[in-house]
Amino acid sequence: MDIDLDLPIERIFKESLGLRKGEKILLITDDYDDIKNRFNDRKFIAQCFKKVASKFDSPLDIFVYSAQKNHGEEPPIDLWLKCFGQSFCNSFFKYLSYEDVKNKKVYLEELLKYEDKVDKNHFPDVIIAISYFSTSHTLFRKFANYLGCRYASMPMVEKEMFAGPLNIDYNDLEKKTLELGKKIIDYKG
């Protein structure tokens, strides 16, 4: 089935991420694969995001890392390096080990002590995570958001989703949701 991903991706950029011309985008994914060739789908989706990003004159860098084993597991240290820079990683991981981060023994407050070491020349304005395993509940995501990065987490995304649940008018969805919420609040039943 041929699916045109351009319009849904453009809506994601405009309506969900508020992408502005020239902003830096980092698309991350893992190399998890199975009999459904999900890795090939994610590579195709990544290329579609890259093509649409060019319409915004926004550079999109694709970063593929070795798949973790579970949802919520911290991404590998090379992604931390890619996103936050050498100075941050040298400073932070000098005092706290990456193993402590992976084992959930480090909190956001500890990372904030080193935020001035983040390389703002490489730090993305937007991260799109289309990895198989979710990065939503990671310290990596929390720190990126704290620093002002807009983060779209789309674990287990498949290209068919761009023909259905991701192919919506988000402004219209918001309007209908607010109308329904008002009806529920006003219901006297």
Side-chain angles (χ1 to χ4, degrees):
M1 169 160 98
D2 285 340
I3 300 168
D4 182 15
L5 279 61
D6 289 7
L7 181 59
I9 289 173
E10 193 169 324
R11 282 185 175 147
I12 289 168
F13 278 143
K14 284 181 183 175
E15 298 171 20
S16 298
L17 294 168
L19 185 66
R20 294 176 296 277
K21 182 178 179 175
E23 288 189 306
K24 293 182 293 243
I25 305 164
L26 177 62
L27 185 140
I28 62 174
T29 191
D30 57 32
D31 61 3
Y32 178 83
D33 205 1
D34 61 10
I35 56 173
K36 293 184 178 181
N37 293 317
R38 292 181 188 175
F39 181 51
N40 285 333
D41 271 4
R42 287 193 311 280
K43 286 192 293 189
F44 173 76
I45 292 167
Q47 290 304 317
C48 291
F49 268 100
K50 188 169 187 126
K51 179 178 70 170
V52 175
S54 69
K55 294 179 183 178
F56 292 86
D57 293 323
S58 292
L60 185 144
D61 194 12
I62 298 171
F63 188 86
V64 180
Y65 59 88
S66 297
Q68 307 303 78
K69 294 181 177 114
N70 298 297
H71 297 290
E73 193 173 329
E74 292 296 331
I77 197 166
D78 53 342
L79 180 55
W80 286 75
L81 182 62
K82 172 77 174 165
C83 192
F84 305 119
Q86 188 73 53
S87 179
F88 169 81
C89 288
N90 286 349
S91 299
F92 180 74
F93 292 118
K94 180 178 180 180
Y95 297 102
L96 295 163
S97 76
Y98 176 69
E99 287 306 310
D100 286 341
V101 171
K102 280 189 67 99
N103 292 324
K104 308 288 185 191
K105 294 180 180 178
V106 176
Y107 299 96
L108 180 61
E109 295 75 22
E110 293 168 289
L111 282 173
L112 300 182
K113 296 174 190 173
Y114 303 92
E115 72 178 287
D116 63 321
K117 301 289 186 186
V118 172
D119 184 349
K120 295 295 185 176
N121 293 321
H122 289 66
F123 185 69
D125 300 292
V126 171
I127 295 176
I128 300 165
I130 61 168
S131 50
Y132 182 79
F133 293 107
S134 175
T135 57
S136 295
H137 301 289
T138 63
L139 193 56
F140 173 83
R141 194 269 316 150
K142 289 175 189 172
F143 189 48
N145 281 152
Y146 176 85
L147 295 172
C149 180
R150 296 173 321 272
Y151 200 103
S153 181
M154 302 168 67
M156 300 171 61
V157 69
E158 297 177 11
K159 60 185 174 186
E160 291 78 16
M161 293 175 175
F162 290 87
L166 293 174
N167 191 17
I168 60 169
D169 181 326
Y170 294 96
N171 293 323
D172 186 52
L173 176 64
E174 178 184 29
K175 179 183 169 195
K176 288 178 180 175
T177 302
L178 292 172
E179 288 171 0
L180 180 60
K182 184 171 177 2
K183 286 180 183 178
I184 291 170
I185 290 170
D186 292 345
Y187 180 71
K188 304 265 192 249

